[in-house]
Amino acid sequence: MKLLSFCSIFLLFNIVLVFAEDPYRFFDWNITYGDIYPLGVKQQGILINGQFPGPEIYSVTNDNLIINVHNSLPEPFLISWNGIQQRRNSYEDGVYGTTCPIPPGKNFTYTLQVKDQIGSFFYFPSLAFHKAAGGFGSIKILSRPRIPVPFPDPTDDYTLLIGDWYQIDHTRLRKVLDFGHRLPFPQAVLINGRANGTTFTVEQGKTYRLRISNVGLQNTLNFRIQNHIMKLVEVEGTHTIQTSYSSIDVHVGQSYSVLITADQAPKDYYIVVSTRFTNTILTSTANLHYSNSQQPLLGPIPAGPTTQIDWSLEQARSIRTNLTASGPRPNPQGSYHYGTINISRTIKLESSAALVNGKQRYAVNSVSFIPADTPLKLADYFKIGGVFQVGSIPDTPSHKPMYLDTSVMGADFRAFVEIVFQNHENIIQSWHIDGYSFWVVGMDGGVWTPNSRGQYNLNDAVSRSTTQVYPKSWTAIYMALDNVGMWNVRSEFWTRQYLGQQFYLRVYSPVESVRDEYPIPKNALLCGKAFGR
């Protein structure tokens, strides 16, 4: 008995030591509807603890985040975590393919670890077009104190959540889509929940970090600050070569960190956000206020680029990884040199739009996704047949007429794949992959062919989780499939995502070991055919 007690104490001591290295941060959120005034008139929004936008999540690499979400809406609700990789734990991803919705009046506690991550991200509601009503907020992951960051500590660290916005209630927007119609053009652009009037105060001569995330529904936004140059330092968890820009295109779902120095005359300056590649230009402003300002905002709002695709493409190509910076990095097959790893598979994804049964739908490789009655990850875990079929979406465009299916693509754990996003349409697109960062190795106009590999950046391509595809163009990425689970691949244009432009990538290991994937959470909600299991 004494030996057993000693062993138990020794084991407990070691567990405490392990946990002590990875702190816990606790959050308690109540989700409600409430009155918001983003355009100066009342409309219904989704609030978190009474806030719009929602509370900021502040954390450090490897922190464990315990987020208890109370759903006080009269309908099911889910939150997803854009760019958080959920290492070995797709059960916590917060999309319907992995997680049962939180029923009205109930709660669910997410247990996340920001394993080996730094950077700027955001969370958002993933069901029922709730994203058009709010419920989003920022996520900051700081480096551990002993890990050097490739720039001096800024005086302060500000978040700017930017996005297009409808004054129309999200339930009406959802009905328009459900009836098979397209949405009208948005009414405005918001900066931190307001169309105009947000103020950021700076001190003369000091340097500040701005974290900019496009949390909108469909439009690329250009971000600029009157008379100030921005130095890019981080993109979705990757320290970048510190290139300076007068303005930056932020595509839907993307996040950037820039440094600005208050080195101009002491007055107020416009912060400007405007839509790109649209016939009607929507513009919103905020105020960069010098604490010793001697002049309020005056004069015309600084103009930015509008429809120039080549300008945006060249900027995108200039964003590269800082190879000398410390911090977490992808490490496929024991090497940081992604350009020397053999590709085991090429996947080509082609988007399309068409009417199916008289209703507007969107697809990937001709398959327009429809949700199953059971989250796919739960069906996979409990081995429930008839929910989905692995291989129900092809690796390459089939050129068949568009059809509806619960599309799941199978993939092998530890494979190293090339994915090509081909855009034949006249609009710019934005694509996101949950559970991963990937290297954006190339993008160009026209149709991708194997010869296009000759222009890939195989040295210092940026690693991120969301990438744009320009009109009549292609974008190619490399991705190391080192994270077992069921992962959502989706258009970040939320109308298209809602109407089928998404699928799930099932990264599978036949070993089924807890070393490769965590077991199902003890508090997992069970629904559909998984109910009662």
Side-chain angles (χ1 to χ4, degrees):
M1 287 294 292
K2 290 182 179 179
L3 178 61
L4 180 62
S5 297
F6 175 79
C7 290
S8 299
I9 293 171
F10 180 79
L11 178 61
L12 180 61
F13 177 74
N14 277 276
I15 291 174
V16 169
L17 279 180
V18 171
F19 284 171
E21 293 179 358
D22 299 326
Y24 281 72
R25 297 178 187 267
F26 295 89
F27 304 83
D28 196 61
W29 289 356
N30 186 31
I31 313 299
T32 62
Y33 282 129
D35 294 338
I36 58 175
Y37 299 83
L39 306 185
V41 295
K42 184 172 71 173
Q43 65 182 111
Q44 178 179 262
I46 292 178
L47 311 180
I48 302 179
N49 292 351
Q51 299 179 43
F52 169 74
E56 179 179 278
I57 294 178
Y58 174 95
S59 61
V60 177
T61 300
N62 287 2
D63 278 358
N64 295 281
L65 309 179
I66 311 301
I67 306 171
N68 188 19
V69 177
H70 304 264
N71 179 16
S72 297
L73 303 182
E75 56 194 304
F77 185 79
L78 270 181
I79 290 181
S80 191
W81 321 91
N82 212 71
I84 304 304
Q85 294 178 12
Q86 313 289 357
R87 303 297 300 178
R88 300 185 289 166
N89 199 11
S90 61
Y91 295 104
E92 303 285 355
D93 200 30
V95 289
Y96 185 67
T98 63
T99 313
C100 290
I102 307 170
K106 302 295 183 181
N107 73 297
F108 176 73
T109 301
Y110 290 90
T111 302
L112 319 176
Q113 186 179 26
V114 288
K115 181 69 174 172
D116 294 331
Q117 288 192 264
I118 60 148
S120 309
F121 309 96
F122 64 91
Y123 61 86
F124 68 95
S126 62
L127 295 181
F129 222 65
H130 286 147
K131 192 180 182 189
F136 47 74
S138 67
I139 303 173
K140 293 181 182 178
I141 309 175
L142 276 64
S143 295
R144 288 180 167 186
R146 294 183 180 180
I147 304 299
V149 174
F151 49 87
D153 287 341
T155 300
D156 210 338
D157 188 327
Y158 291 129
T159 292
L160 293 97
L161 300 176
I162 62 177
D164 49 18
W165 186 260
Y166 286 91
Q167 191 172 341
I168 305 168
D169 184 89
H170 79 282
T171 57
R172 289 174 57 198
L173 295 175
R174 189 169 65 214
K175 287 179 181 178
V176 170
L177 296 176
D178 290 340
F179 280 115
H181 304 296
R182 300 188 182 195
L183 295 184
F185 192 65
Q187 279 77 49
V189 170
L190 302 187
I191 303 174
N192 287 358
R194 299 177 66 181
N196 293 288
T198 303
T199 297
F200 300 89
T201 300
V202 296
E203 295 183 29
Q204 188 86 37
K206 301 290 182 68
T207 297
Y208 296 82
R209 181 173 185 170
L210 308 182
R211 299 175 188 257
I212 309 155
S213 293
N214 187 337
V215 298
L217 298 176
Q218 69 183 47
N219 284 291
T220 294
L221 300 174
N222 182 264
F223 182 91
R224 55 198 181 273
I225 303 176
Q226 183 181 24
N227 292 0
H228 288 72
I229 296 298
M230 298 175 287
K231 182 183 292 184
L232 184 66
V233 294
E234 177 255 331
V235 171
E236 293 161 30
T238 298
H239 291 305
T240 62
I241 292 175
Q242 295 179 13
T243 306
S244 295
Y245 302 98
S246 58
S247 71
I248 292 180
D249 279 351
V250 187
H251 306 278
V252 184
Q254 292 186 343
S255 297
Y256 291 84
S257 277
V258 300
L259 299 179
I260 64 161
T261 300
D263 55 5
Q264 300 298 303
K267 61 177 187 176
D268 290 7
Y269 296 88
Y270 284 109
I271 299 172
V272 188
V273 178
S274 58
T275 55
R276 288 278 269 129
F277 318 116
T278 56
N279 293 326
T280 301
I281 306 299
L282 299 176
T283 300
S284 182
T285 64
N287 184 5
L288 186 72
H289 171 71
Y290 278 52
S291 59
N292 59 342
S293 173
Q294 300 174 9
Q295 181 179 308
L297 290 173
L298 290 175
I301 296 172
T306 53
T307 60
Q308 302 92 330
I309 293 173
D310 288 346
W311 182 96
S312 188
L313 175 61
E314 288 307 309
Q315 181 177 87
R317 287 171 171 164
S318 72
I319 299 172
R320 296 176 291 152
T321 297
N322 183 345
L323 297 178
T324 65
S326 300
R329 286 185 190 157
N331 189 23
Q333 301 179 20
S335 170
Y336 293 125
H337 302 292
Y338 66 92
T340 65
I341 301 172
N342 291 328
I343 298 167
S344 58
R345 180 180 177 187
T346 295
I347 300 167
K348 189 174 180 182
L349 304 176
E350 189 174 282
S351 62
S352 59
L355 296 179
V356 179
N357 299 324
K359 293 186 176 182
Q360 182 65 53
R361 297 291 300 185
Y362 300 93
V364 185
N365 290 358
S366 297
V367 189
S368 186
F369 182 86
I370 51 172
D373 61 0
T374 305
L376 311 182
K377 184 60 189 171
L378 296 184
D380 207 19
Y381 175 80
F382 289 114
K383 296 180 171 52
I384 302 169
V387 175
F388 69 91
Q389 183 70 39
V390 177
S392 48
I393 178 172
D395 277 22
T396 57
S398 67
H399 304 297
K400 294 180 180 178
M402 187 182 295
Y403 61 96
L404 308 180
D405 201 350
T406 304
S407 38
V408 176
M409 182 179 291
D412 295 331
F413 181 43
R414 294 201 175 98
F416 191 76
V417 300
E418 173 188 46
I419 300 177
V420 178
F421 297 98
Q422 181 68 61
N423 179 10
H424 294 300
E425 300 180 79
N426 289 319
I427 65 165
I428 191 168
Q429 299 177 347
S430 185
W431 289 90
H432 178 86
I433 301 179
D434 281 350
Y436 286 94
S437 277
F438 46 73
W439 291 274
V440 184
V441 294
M443 54 178 64
D444 203 356
V447 177
W448 181 91
T449 69
N451 291 333
S452 303
R453 295 181 180 127
Q455 59 180 283
Y456 283 5
N457 175 358
L458 299 182
N459 180 46
D460 59 357
V462 69
S463 177
R464 63 189 313 168
S465 59
T466 309
T467 187
Q468 71 274 27
V469 191
Y470 290 97
K472 304 286 188 181
S473 301
W474 56 267
T475 294
I477 67 173
Y478 280 177
M479 190 164 74
L481 299 182
D482 58 356
N483 196 11
V484 173
M486 187 78 70
W487 303 109
N488 191 222
V489 181
R490 63 175 177 266
S491 170
E492 286 285 356
F493 283 28
W494 218 241
T495 293
R496 290 179 167 239
Q497 181 272 353
Y498 184 82
L499 294 180
Q501 204 159 82
Q502 60 171 310
F503 67 94
Y504 282 82
L505 185 69
R506 179 184 183 256
V507 180
Y508 178 71
S509 170
V511 177
E512 297 186 355
S513 166
V514 293
R515 180 188 63 185
D516 299 330
E517 184 175 26
Y518 292 139
I520 187 171
K522 292 182 178 179
N523 69 327
L525 299 173
L526 300 180
C527 57
K529 294 175 182 175
F531 184 77
R533 297 270 177 161

